[in-house]
Each structure stands twice: as structure tokens, then as C-alpha cells.
PDB file of all heavy atoms in Angstrom:
ATOM      1  N   THR A   1       1.852  -2.327 -33.490  1.00  0.00           N
ATOM      2  CA  THR A   1       0.425  -2.123 -33.903  1.00  0.00           C
ATOM      3  C   THR A   1      -0.483  -3.122 -33.251  1.00  0.00           C
ATOM      4  O   THR A   1      -0.122  -4.311 -33.186  1.00  0.00           O
ATOM      5  CB  THR A   1       0.247  -2.074 -35.410  1.00  0.00           C
ATOM      6  OG1 THR A   1       1.113  -1.139 -35.947  1.00  0.00           O
ATOM      7  CG2 THR A   1      -1.213  -1.695 -35.816  1.00  0.00           C
ATOM      8  N   ASP A   2      -1.635  -2.713 -32.745  1.00  0.00           N
ATOM      9  CA  ASP A   2      -2.555  -3.600 -32.033  1.00  0.00           C
ATOM     10  C   ASP A   2      -3.264  -4.510 -33.032  1.00  0.00           C
ATOM     11  O   ASP A   2      -4.400  -4.230 -33.473  1.00  0.00           O
ATOM     12  CB  ASP A   2      -3.474  -2.737 -31.211  1.00  0.00           C
ATOM     13  CG  ASP A   2      -4.183  -3.641 -30.188  1.00  0.00           C
ATOM     14  OD1 ASP A   2      -3.752  -4.798 -29.829  1.00  0.00           O
ATOM     15  OD2 ASP A   2      -5.225  -3.151 -29.573  1.00  0.00           O
ATOM     16  N   LEU A   3      -2.707  -5.593 -33.383  1.00  0.00           N
ATOM     17  CA  LEU A   3      -3.127  -6.614 -34.303  1.00  0.00           C
ATOM     18  C   LEU A   3      -3.111  -7.957 -33.597  1.00  0.00           C
ATOM     19  O   LEU A   3      -2.113  -8.281 -32.881  1.00  0.00           O
ATOM     20  CB  LEU A   3      -2.363  -6.610 -35.606  1.00  0.00           C
ATOM     21  CG  LEU A   3      -2.446  -5.356 -36.482  1.00  0.00           C
ATOM     22  CD1 LEU A   3      -1.354  -5.338 -37.561  1.00  0.00           C
ATOM     23  CD2 LEU A   3      -3.788  -5.314 -37.183  1.00  0.00           C
ATOM     24  N   LYS A   4      -4.048  -8.805 -34.005  1.00  0.00           N
ATOM     25  CA  LYS A   4      -3.884 -10.240 -33.457  1.00  0.00           C
ATOM     26  C   LYS A   4      -2.903 -10.962 -34.281  1.00  0.00           C
ATOM     27  O   LYS A   4      -2.164 -11.851 -33.676  1.00  0.00           O
ATOM     28  CB  LYS A   4      -5.314 -10.863 -33.616  1.00  0.00           C
ATOM     29  CG  LYS A   4      -6.370 -10.378 -32.767  1.00  0.00           C
ATOM     30  CD  LYS A   4      -6.204 -10.673 -31.311  1.00  0.00           C
ATOM     31  CE  LYS A   4      -6.666 -12.060 -30.960  1.00  0.00           C
ATOM     32  NZ  LYS A   4      -6.550 -12.409 -29.584  1.00  0.00           N
ATOM     33  N   ALA A   5      -2.811 -10.680 -35.509  1.00  0.00           N
ATOM     34  CA  ALA A   5      -1.882 -11.498 -36.464  1.00  0.00           C
ATOM     35  C   ALA A   5      -1.537 -10.677 -37.617  1.00  0.00           C
ATOM     36  O   ALA A   5      -2.249  -9.810 -38.058  1.00  0.00           O
ATOM     37  CB  ALA A   5      -2.544 -12.739 -36.852  1.00  0.00           C
ATOM     38  N   VAL A   6      -0.296 -11.000 -38.180  1.00  0.00           N
ATOM     39  CA  VAL A   6       0.032 -10.509 -39.506  1.00  0.00           C
ATOM     40  C   VAL A   6       0.522 -11.676 -40.328  1.00  0.00           C
ATOM     41  O   VAL A   6       1.128 -12.660 -39.792  1.00  0.00           O
ATOM     42  CB  VAL A   6       1.182  -9.387 -39.458  1.00  0.00           C
ATOM     43  CG1 VAL A   6       0.674  -8.135 -38.679  1.00  0.00           C
ATOM     44  CG2 VAL A   6       2.429  -9.917 -38.857  1.00  0.00           C
ATOM     45  N   VAL A   7       0.223 -11.576 -41.662  1.00  0.00           N
ATOM     46  CA  VAL A   7       0.714 -12.664 -42.579  1.00  0.00           C
ATOM     47  C   VAL A   7       1.312 -11.895 -43.747  1.00  0.00           C
ATOM     48  O   VAL A   7       0.798 -11.071 -44.356  1.00  0.00           O
ATOM     49  CB  VAL A   7      -0.459 -13.506 -43.040  1.00  0.00           C
ATOM     50  CG1 VAL A   7       0.147 -14.572 -43.976  1.00  0.00           C
ATOM     51  CG2 VAL A   7      -1.225 -14.185 -41.908  1.00  0.00           C
ATOM     52  N   SER A   8       2.593 -12.331 -44.043  1.00  0.00           N
ATOM     53  CA  SER A   8       3.416 -11.715 -45.133  1.00  0.00           C
ATOM     54  C   SER A   8       3.580 -12.803 -46.179  1.00  0.00           C
ATOM     55  O   SER A   8       4.199 -13.806 -45.917  1.00  0.00           O
ATOM     56  CB  SER A   8       4.695 -11.151 -44.635  1.00  0.00           C
ATOM     57  OG  SER A   8       5.510 -10.774 -45.717  1.00  0.00           O
ATOM     58  N   PHE A   9       3.027 -12.542 -47.393  1.00  0.00           N
ATOM     59  CA  PHE A   9       3.221 -13.375 -48.532  1.00  0.00           C
ATOM     60  C   PHE A   9       4.388 -12.732 -49.368  1.00  0.00           C
ATOM     61  O   PHE A   9       4.170 -11.527 -49.788  1.00  0.00           O
ATOM     62  CB  PHE A   9       1.989 -13.541 -49.416  1.00  0.00           C
ATOM     63  CG  PHE A   9       0.903 -14.358 -48.896  1.00  0.00           C
ATOM     64  CD1 PHE A   9      -0.026 -13.819 -47.996  1.00  0.00           C
ATOM     65  CD2 PHE A   9       0.750 -15.678 -49.186  1.00  0.00           C
ATOM     66  CE1 PHE A   9      -1.113 -14.572 -47.521  1.00  0.00           C
ATOM     67  CE2 PHE A   9      -0.246 -16.439 -48.754  1.00  0.00           C
ATOM     68  CZ  PHE A   9      -1.172 -15.932 -47.834  1.00  0.00           C
ATOM     69  N   HIS A  10       5.455 -13.458 -49.571  1.00  0.00           N
ATOM     70  CA  HIS A  10       6.597 -12.934 -50.403  1.00  0.00           C
ATOM     71  C   HIS A  10       6.945 -11.478 -50.218  1.00  0.00           C
ATOM     72  O   HIS A  10       7.221 -10.750 -51.084  1.00  0.00           O
ATOM     73  CB  HIS A  10       6.550 -13.361 -51.804  1.00  0.00           C
ATOM     74  CG  HIS A  10       5.192 -13.113 -52.533  1.00  0.00           C
ATOM     75  ND1 HIS A  10       4.841 -11.888 -52.993  1.00  0.00           N
ATOM     76  CD2 HIS A  10       4.177 -13.985 -52.795  1.00  0.00           C
ATOM     77  CE1 HIS A  10       3.531 -11.997 -53.542  1.00  0.00           C
ATOM     78  NE2 HIS A  10       3.201 -13.246 -53.427  1.00  0.00           N
ATOM     79  N   GLY A  11       6.977 -11.100 -48.886  1.00  0.00           N
ATOM     80  CA  GLY A  11       7.403  -9.680 -48.557  1.00  0.00           C
ATOM     81  C   GLY A  11       8.865  -9.626 -48.345  1.00  0.00           C
ATOM     82  O   GLY A  11       9.516 -10.636 -47.994  1.00  0.00           O
ATOM     83  N   VAL A  12       9.373  -8.437 -48.473  1.00  0.00           N
ATOM     84  CA  VAL A  12      10.775  -8.190 -48.145  1.00  0.00           C
ATOM     85  C   VAL A  12      10.837  -8.197 -46.630  1.00  0.00           C
ATOM     86  O   VAL A  12      10.063  -7.624 -45.896  1.00  0.00           O
ATOM     87  CB  VAL A  12      11.283  -6.893 -48.648  1.00  0.00           C
ATOM     88  CG1 VAL A  12      12.667  -6.403 -48.135  1.00  0.00           C
ATOM     89  CG2 VAL A  12      11.283  -6.825 -50.171  1.00  0.00           C
ATOM     90  N   LEU A  13      11.844  -8.910 -46.073  1.00  0.00           N
ATOM     91  CA  LEU A  13      11.991  -9.136 -44.645  1.00  0.00           C
ATOM     92  C   LEU A  13      12.978  -8.194 -43.960  1.00  0.00           C
ATOM     93  O   LEU A  13      12.871  -7.953 -42.746  1.00  0.00           O
ATOM     94  CB  LEU A  13      12.438 -10.578 -44.349  1.00  0.00           C
ATOM     95  CG  LEU A  13      11.653 -11.704 -45.003  1.00  0.00           C
ATOM     96  CD1 LEU A  13      12.225 -13.018 -44.646  1.00  0.00           C
ATOM     97  CD2 LEU A  13      10.186 -11.638 -44.545  1.00  0.00           C
ATOM     98  N   ALA A  14      13.883  -7.538 -44.683  1.00  0.00           N
ATOM     99  CA  ALA A  14      14.789  -6.666 -44.175  1.00  0.00           C
ATOM    100  C   ALA A  14      14.090  -5.356 -43.749  1.00  0.00           C
ATOM    101  O   ALA A  14      13.054  -4.956 -44.340  1.00  0.00           O
ATOM    102  CB  ALA A  14      15.877  -6.355 -45.164  1.00  0.00           C
ATOM    103  N   THR A  15      14.669  -4.666 -42.738  1.00  0.00           N
ATOM    104  CA  THR A  15      14.054  -3.364 -42.309  1.00  0.00           C
ATOM    105  C   THR A  15      15.164  -2.455 -41.788  1.00  0.00           C
ATOM    106  O   THR A  15      16.221  -2.907 -41.371  1.00  0.00           O
ATOM    107  CB  THR A  15      12.999  -3.638 -41.147  1.00  0.00           C
ATOM    108  OG1 THR A  15      12.418  -2.342 -40.814  1.00  0.00           O
ATOM    109  CG2 THR A  15      13.675  -4.250 -39.961  1.00  0.00           C
ATOM    110  N   LYS A  16      14.895  -1.193 -41.837  1.00  0.00           N
ATOM    111  CA  LYS A  16      15.762  -0.176 -41.218  1.00  0.00           C
ATOM    112  C   LYS A  16      15.430  -0.036 -39.770  1.00  0.00           C
ATOM    113  O   LYS A  16      16.236   0.724 -39.072  1.00  0.00           O
ATOM    114  CB  LYS A  16      15.706   1.104 -41.981  1.00  0.00           C
ATOM    115  CG  LYS A  16      16.251   0.991 -43.392  1.00  0.00           C
ATOM    116  CD  LYS A  16      16.267   2.402 -44.009  1.00  0.00           C
ATOM    117  CE  LYS A  16      16.938   2.336 -45.418  1.00  0.00           C
ATOM    118  NZ  LYS A  16      18.401   2.231 -45.386  1.00  0.00           N
ATOM    119  N   ALA A  17      14.346  -0.518 -39.289  1.00  0.00           N
ATOM    120  CA  ALA A  17      13.856  -0.355 -37.881  1.00  0.00           C
ATOM    121  C   ALA A  17      13.435  -1.673 -37.292  1.00  0.00           C
ATOM    122  O   ALA A  17      12.198  -1.942 -37.255  1.00  0.00           O
ATOM    123  CB  ALA A  17      12.767   0.716 -37.864  1.00  0.00           C
ATOM    124  N   PRO A  18      14.424  -2.482 -36.867  1.00  0.00           N
ATOM    125  CA  PRO A  18      14.081  -3.857 -36.283  1.00  0.00           C
ATOM    126  C   PRO A  18      13.167  -3.703 -35.078  1.00  0.00           C
ATOM    127  O   PRO A  18      13.053  -2.675 -34.430  1.00  0.00           O
ATOM    128  CB  PRO A  18      15.405  -4.395 -35.936  1.00  0.00           C
ATOM    129  CG  PRO A  18      16.362  -3.682 -36.649  1.00  0.00           C
ATOM    130  CD  PRO A  18      15.841  -2.326 -36.918  1.00  0.00           C
ATOM    131  N   ALA A  19      12.404  -4.721 -34.851  1.00  0.00           N
ATOM    132  CA  ALA A  19      11.526  -4.842 -33.657  1.00  0.00           C
ATOM    133  C   ALA A  19      12.305  -4.677 -32.402  1.00  0.00           C
ATOM    134  O   ALA A  19      13.430  -5.209 -32.279  1.00  0.00           O
ATOM    135  CB  ALA A  19      10.816  -6.139 -33.635  1.00  0.00           C
ATOM    136  N   LEU A  20      11.739  -3.933 -31.452  1.00  0.00           N
ATOM    137  CA  LEU A  20      12.371  -3.775 -30.177  1.00  0.00           C
ATOM    138  C   LEU A  20      11.778  -4.877 -29.197  1.00  0.00           C
ATOM    139  O   LEU A  20      10.683  -5.254 -29.345  1.00  0.00           O
ATOM    140  CB  LEU A  20      12.073  -2.370 -29.639  1.00  0.00           C
ATOM    141  CG  LEU A  20      12.581  -1.275 -30.524  1.00  0.00           C
ATOM    142  CD1 LEU A  20      12.110   0.087 -29.919  1.00  0.00           C
ATOM    143  CD2 LEU A  20      14.142  -1.336 -30.587  1.00  0.00           C
ATOM    144  N   ALA A  21      12.544  -5.169 -28.185  1.00  0.00           N
ATOM    145  CA  ALA A  21      12.122  -6.198 -27.233  1.00  0.00           C
ATOM    146  C   ALA A  21      10.803  -5.847 -26.605  1.00  0.00           C
ATOM    147  O   ALA A  21      10.520  -4.718 -26.148  1.00  0.00           O
ATOM    148  CB  ALA A  21      13.211  -6.373 -26.146  1.00  0.00           C
ATOM    149  N   GLY A  22       9.872  -6.819 -26.664  1.00  0.00           N
ATOM    150  CA  GLY A  22       8.594  -6.624 -26.051  1.00  0.00           C
ATOM    151  C   GLY A  22       7.587  -5.807 -26.820  1.00  0.00           C
ATOM    152  O   GLY A  22       6.390  -5.631 -26.421  1.00  0.00           O
ATOM    153  N   LYS A  23       7.973  -5.272 -28.014  1.00  0.00           N
ATOM    154  CA  LYS A  23       7.054  -4.402 -28.763  1.00  0.00           C
ATOM    155  C   LYS A  23       6.068  -5.162 -29.664  1.00  0.00           C
ATOM    156  O   LYS A  23       4.879  -4.590 -29.806  1.00  0.00           O
ATOM    157  CB  LYS A  23       7.941  -3.497 -29.571  1.00  0.00           C
ATOM    158  CG  LYS A  23       7.063  -2.400 -30.363  1.00  0.00           C
ATOM    159  CD  LYS A  23       7.619  -1.072 -30.053  1.00  0.00           C
ATOM    160  CE  LYS A  23       6.766  -0.033 -30.675  1.00  0.00           C
ATOM    161  NZ  LYS A  23       7.175   1.323 -30.610  1.00  0.00           N
ATOM    162  N   VAL A  24       6.361  -6.320 -30.272  1.00  0.00           N
ATOM    163  CA  VAL A  24       5.545  -6.945 -31.153  1.00  0.00           C
ATOM    164  C   VAL A  24       4.404  -7.652 -30.381  1.00  0.00           C
ATOM    165  O   VAL A  24       4.621  -8.465 -29.516  1.00  0.00           O
ATOM    166  CB  VAL A  24       6.252  -7.950 -31.991  1.00  0.00           C
ATOM    167  CG1 VAL A  24       5.316  -8.773 -32.917  1.00  0.00           C
ATOM    168  CG2 VAL A  24       7.329  -7.273 -32.845  1.00  0.00           C
ATOM    169  N   LYS A  25       3.143  -7.268 -30.746  1.00  0.00           N
ATOM    170  CA  LYS A  25       1.936  -7.855 -30.112  1.00  0.00           C
ATOM    171  C   LYS A  25       1.251  -8.932 -30.907  1.00  0.00           C
ATOM    172  O   LYS A  25       0.675  -9.790 -30.428  1.00  0.00           O
ATOM    173  CB  LYS A  25       0.869  -6.696 -29.889  1.00  0.00           C
ATOM    174  CG  LYS A  25       1.306  -5.635 -28.964  1.00  0.00           C
ATOM    175  CD  LYS A  25       0.253  -4.588 -28.920  1.00  0.00           C
ATOM    176  CE  LYS A  25       0.901  -3.284 -28.261  1.00  0.00           C
ATOM    177  NZ  LYS A  25      -0.184  -2.173 -28.343  1.00  0.00           N
ATOM    178  N   ALA A  26       1.535  -8.857 -32.249  1.00  0.00           N
ATOM    179  CA  ALA A  26       0.804  -9.743 -33.223  1.00  0.00           C
ATOM    180  C   ALA A  26       1.575 -11.048 -33.284  1.00  0.00           C
ATOM    181  O   ALA A  26       2.777 -11.174 -33.156  1.00  0.00           O
ATOM    182  CB  ALA A  26       0.776  -9.089 -34.586  1.00  0.00           C
ATOM    183  N   SER A  27       0.746 -12.142 -33.596  1.00  0.00           N
ATOM    184  CA  SER A  27       1.368 -13.380 -34.060  1.00  0.00           C
ATOM    185  C   SER A  27       1.765 -13.181 -35.449  1.00  0.00           C
ATOM    186  O   SER A  27       1.120 -12.454 -36.188  1.00  0.00           O
ATOM    187  CB  SER A  27       0.327 -14.521 -33.976  1.00  0.00           C
ATOM    188  OG  SER A  27      -0.039 -14.783 -32.651  1.00  0.00           O
ATOM    189  N   VAL A  28       2.921 -13.717 -35.900  1.00  0.00           N
ATOM    190  CA  VAL A  28       3.562 -13.325 -37.166  1.00  0.00           C
ATOM    191  C   VAL A  28       3.735 -14.674 -37.989  1.00  0.00           C
ATOM    192  O   VAL A  28       4.347 -15.646 -37.494  1.00  0.00           O
ATOM    193  CB  VAL A  28       4.894 -12.616 -36.975  1.00  0.00           C
ATOM    194  CG1 VAL A  28       5.612 -12.356 -38.298  1.00  0.00           C
ATOM    195  CG2 VAL A  28       4.757 -11.434 -36.153  1.00  0.00           C
ATOM    196  N   LEU A  29       3.232 -14.602 -39.226  1.00  0.00           N
ATOM    197  CA  LEU A  29       3.509 -15.671 -40.174  1.00  0.00           C
ATOM    198  C   LEU A  29       4.090 -15.173 -41.448  1.00  0.00           C
ATOM    199  O   LEU A  29       3.483 -14.210 -42.051  1.00  0.00           O
ATOM    200  CB  LEU A  29       2.173 -16.432 -40.559  1.00  0.00           C
ATOM    201  CG  LEU A  29       2.264 -17.467 -41.610  1.00  0.00           C
ATOM    202  CD1 LEU A  29       3.192 -18.663 -41.242  1.00  0.00           C
ATOM    203  CD2 LEU A  29       0.877 -18.078 -41.905  1.00  0.00           C
ATOM    204  N   VAL A  30       5.262 -15.662 -41.824  1.00  0.00           N
ATOM    205  CA  VAL A  30       5.917 -15.204 -43.055  1.00  0.00           C
ATOM    206  C   VAL A  30       5.922 -16.432 -44.003  1.00  0.00           C
ATOM    207  O   VAL A  30       6.394 -17.530 -43.609  1.00  0.00           O
ATOM    208  CB  VAL A  30       7.345 -14.774 -42.733  1.00  0.00           C
ATOM    209  CG1 VAL A  30       8.189 -14.548 -44.032  1.00  0.00           C
ATOM    210  CG2 VAL A  30       7.415 -13.495 -41.936  1.00  0.00           C
ATOM    211  N   LEU A  31       5.504 -16.169 -45.274  1.00  0.00           N
ATOM    212  CA  LEU A  31       5.466 -17.220 -46.265  1.00  0.00           C
ATOM    213  C   LEU A  31       6.360 -16.730 -47.410  1.00  0.00           C
ATOM    214  O   LEU A  31       6.031 -15.715 -48.002  1.00  0.00           O
ATOM    215  CB  LEU A  31       4.040 -17.376 -46.746  1.00  0.00           C
ATOM    216  CG  LEU A  31       3.074 -17.703 -45.597  1.00  0.00           C
ATOM    217  CD1 LEU A  31       1.567 -17.388 -45.987  1.00  0.00           C
ATOM    218  CD2 LEU A  31       3.218 -19.137 -45.132  1.00  0.00           C
ATOM    219  N   THR A  32       7.416 -17.426 -47.626  1.00  0.00           N
ATOM    220  CA  THR A  32       8.445 -16.968 -48.616  1.00  0.00           C
ATOM    221  C   THR A  32       8.934 -18.094 -49.432  1.00  0.00           C
ATOM    222  O   THR A  32       8.797 -19.284 -49.102  1.00  0.00           O
ATOM    223  CB  THR A  32       9.630 -16.272 -47.847  1.00  0.00           C
ATOM    224  OG1 THR A  32      10.409 -15.579 -48.772  1.00  0.00           O
ATOM    225  CG2 THR A  32      10.345 -17.281 -46.994  1.00  0.00           C
ATOM    226  N   GLY A  33       9.517 -17.734 -50.572  1.00  0.00           N
ATOM    227  CA  GLY A  33      10.104 -18.697 -51.469  1.00  0.00           C
ATOM    228  C   GLY A  33      11.569 -18.854 -51.230  1.00  0.00           C
ATOM    229  O   GLY A  33      12.273 -17.865 -50.998  1.00  0.00           O
ATOM    230  N   ALA A  34      12.047 -20.029 -51.344  1.00  0.00           N
ATOM    231  CA  ALA A  34      13.483 -20.373 -51.116  1.00  0.00           C
ATOM    232  C   ALA A  34      14.349 -19.661 -52.174  1.00  0.00           C
ATOM    233  O   ALA A  34      15.562 -19.429 -51.909  1.00  0.00           O
ATOM    234  CB  ALA A  34      13.754 -21.875 -51.136  1.00  0.00           C
ATOM    235  N   ASN A  35      13.793 -19.321 -53.339  1.00  0.00           N
ATOM    236  CA  ASN A  35      14.559 -18.715 -54.404  1.00  0.00           C
ATOM    237  C   ASN A  35      14.064 -17.267 -54.640  1.00  0.00           C
ATOM    238  O   ASN A  35      14.253 -16.788 -55.747  1.00  0.00           O
ATOM    239  CB  ASN A  35      14.464 -19.517 -55.726  1.00  0.00           C
ATOM    240  CG  ASN A  35      14.841 -20.914 -55.501  1.00  0.00           C
ATOM    241  OD1 ASN A  35      14.049 -21.836 -55.342  1.00  0.00           O
ATOM    242  ND2 ASN A  35      16.200 -21.179 -55.506  1.00  0.00           N
ATOM    243  N   ASP A  36      13.516 -16.580 -53.634  1.00  0.00           N
ATOM    244  CA  ASP A  36      13.062 -15.259 -53.758  1.00  0.00           C
ATOM    245  C   ASP A  36      14.217 -14.295 -53.714  1.00  0.00           C
ATOM    246  O   ASP A  36      14.869 -14.245 -52.603  1.00  0.00           O
ATOM    247  CB  ASP A  36      12.067 -14.954 -52.666  1.00  0.00           C
ATOM    248  CG  ASP A  36      11.425 -13.570 -52.811  1.00  0.00           C
ATOM    249  OD1 ASP A  36      11.968 -12.738 -53.505  1.00  0.00           O
ATOM    250  OD2 ASP A  36      10.306 -13.377 -52.277  1.00  0.00           O
ATOM    251  N   PRO A  37      14.620 -13.568 -54.774  1.00  0.00           N
ATOM    252  CA  PRO A  37      15.781 -12.724 -54.673  1.00  0.00           C
ATOM    253  C   PRO A  37      15.544 -11.448 -53.791  1.00  0.00           C
ATOM    254  O   PRO A  37      16.523 -10.838 -53.375  1.00  0.00           O
ATOM    255  CB  PRO A  37      15.864 -12.247 -56.116  1.00  0.00           C
ATOM    256  CG  PRO A  37      14.634 -12.382 -56.726  1.00  0.00           C
ATOM    257  CD  PRO A  37      13.931 -13.528 -56.139  1.00  0.00           C
ATOM    258  N   LEU A  38      14.283 -11.223 -53.368  1.00  0.00           N
ATOM    259  CA  LEU A  38      13.968 -10.086 -52.492  1.00  0.00           C
ATOM    260  C   LEU A  38      13.977 -10.568 -51.052  1.00  0.00           C
ATOM    261  O   LEU A  38      13.862  -9.707 -50.098  1.00  0.00           O
ATOM    262  CB  LEU A  38      12.672  -9.463 -52.851  1.00  0.00           C
ATOM    263  CG  LEU A  38      12.625  -8.910 -54.357  1.00  0.00           C
ATOM    264  CD1 LEU A  38      11.223  -8.351 -54.632  1.00  0.00           C
ATOM    265  CD2 LEU A  38      13.761  -7.830 -54.544  1.00  0.00           C
ATOM    266  N   ALA A  39      14.044 -11.823 -50.762  1.00  0.00           N
ATOM    267  CA  ALA A  39      14.114 -12.373 -49.424  1.00  0.00           C
ATOM    268  C   ALA A  39      15.025 -13.548 -49.397  1.00  0.00           C
ATOM    269  O   ALA A  39      14.653 -14.685 -49.191  1.00  0.00           O
ATOM    270  CB  ALA A  39      12.775 -12.791 -48.876  1.00  0.00           C
ATOM    271  N   PRO A  40      16.318 -13.247 -49.697  1.00  0.00           N
ATOM    272  CA  PRO A  40      17.336 -14.323 -49.755  1.00  0.00           C
ATOM    273  C   PRO A  40      17.498 -15.039 -48.416  1.00  0.00           C
ATOM    274  O   PRO A  40      17.152 -14.490 -47.327  1.00  0.00           O
ATOM    275  CB  PRO A  40      18.613 -13.687 -50.202  1.00  0.00           C
ATOM    276  CG  PRO A  40      18.380 -12.277 -49.890  1.00  0.00           C
ATOM    277  CD  PRO A  40      16.909 -12.011 -49.900  1.00  0.00           C
ATOM    278  N   PRO A  41      18.102 -16.218 -48.423  1.00  0.00           N
ATOM    279  CA  PRO A  41      18.322 -16.904 -47.154  1.00  0.00           C
ATOM    280  C   PRO A  41      18.943 -16.137 -46.038  1.00  0.00           C
ATOM    281  O   PRO A  41      18.492 -16.338 -44.836  1.00  0.00           O
ATOM    282  CB  PRO A  41      19.207 -18.090 -47.589  1.00  0.00           C
ATOM    283  CG  PRO A  41      18.852 -18.369 -49.062  1.00  0.00           C
ATOM    284  CD  PRO A  41      18.654 -16.978 -49.544  1.00  0.00           C
ATOM    285  N   ASP A  42      19.888 -15.230 -46.274  1.00  0.00           N
ATOM    286  CA  ASP A  42      20.491 -14.516 -45.239  1.00  0.00           C
ATOM    287  C   ASP A  42      19.511 -13.575 -44.636  1.00  0.00           C
ATOM    288  O   ASP A  42      19.480 -13.242 -43.359  1.00  0.00           O
ATOM    289  CB  ASP A  42      21.771 -13.772 -45.575  1.00  0.00           C
ATOM    290  CG  ASP A  42      21.552 -12.841 -46.761  1.00  0.00           C
ATOM    291  OD1 ASP A  42      20.807 -13.105 -47.715  1.00  0.00           O
ATOM    292  OD2 ASP A  42      22.251 -11.725 -46.750  1.00  0.00           O
ATOM    293  N   HIS A  43      18.526 -13.007 -45.380  1.00  0.00           N
ATOM    294  CA  HIS A  43      17.435 -12.136 -44.894  1.00  0.00           C
ATOM    295  C   HIS A  43      16.509 -12.966 -44.047  1.00  0.00           C
ATOM    296  O   HIS A  43      15.966 -12.457 -42.996  1.00  0.00           O
ATOM    297  CB  HIS A  43      16.755 -11.486 -45.981  1.00  0.00           C
ATOM    298  CG  HIS A  43      17.575 -10.390 -46.651  1.00  0.00           C
ATOM    299  ND1 HIS A  43      17.006  -9.435 -47.423  1.00  0.00           N
ATOM    300  CD2 HIS A  43      18.864 -10.179 -46.747  1.00  0.00           C
ATOM    301  CE1 HIS A  43      17.868  -8.619 -47.949  1.00  0.00           C
ATOM    302  NE2 HIS A  43      19.066  -9.078 -47.591  1.00  0.00           N
ATOM    303  N   VAL A  44      16.275 -14.151 -44.462  1.00  0.00           N
ATOM    304  CA  VAL A  44      15.294 -15.061 -43.664  1.00  0.00           C
ATOM    305  C   VAL A  44      15.952 -15.293 -42.323  1.00  0.00           C
ATOM    306  O   VAL A  44      15.302 -15.208 -41.296  1.00  0.00           O
ATOM    307  CB  VAL A  44      14.997 -16.334 -44.392  1.00  0.00           C
ATOM    308  CG1 VAL A  44      14.133 -17.307 -43.597  1.00  0.00           C
ATOM    309  CG2 VAL A  44      14.252 -16.037 -45.672  1.00  0.00           C
ATOM    310  N   ALA A  45      17.218 -15.657 -42.275  1.00  0.00           N
ATOM    311  CA  ALA A  45      17.913 -15.860 -41.035  1.00  0.00           C
ATOM    312  C   ALA A  45      18.003 -14.726 -40.150  1.00  0.00           C
ATOM    313  O   ALA A  45      17.786 -14.725 -38.942  1.00  0.00           O
ATOM    314  CB  ALA A  45      19.372 -16.427 -41.359  1.00  0.00           C
TER     315      ALA A  45
END
């Protein structure tokens, strides 16, 4: 999507359709909690 930036506050990071090479146009900022059960460390990685 033609966006300058996206910011995710405690969003789920997993997806069924990962980004394809060269497709992401936006700058991306993810803000998450270390103890968020919906975005565990393996999802962050």
C-alpha cells in the first residue's frame, strides 16, 4: 500500500501472507511488549 509509514502498537505480527521482496513501500515501526502473549518472542524474531 502506498503509505509513507505504518506504526503498529501491540499488533499481532504473524501473517498468512508474508511480505514479498521489494513490495513494502512504507517505513515500518512495531511497538510491542516483551510479555505480549499475542506477539511472543518467536513471532517478533
Side-chain angles (χ1 to χ4, degrees):
T1 304
D2 197 13
L3 294 163
K4 294 289 278 182
V6 299
V7 180
S8 173
F9 287 85
H10 44 81
V12 170
L13 305 178
T15 184
K16 290 188 177 283
L20 300 175
K23 185 127 184 183
V24 176
K25 299 174 188 172
S27 294
V28 178
L29 173 61
V30 170
L31 305 161
T32 192
N35 303 101
D36 186 339
L38 301 178
D42 59 321
H43 290 199
V44 175

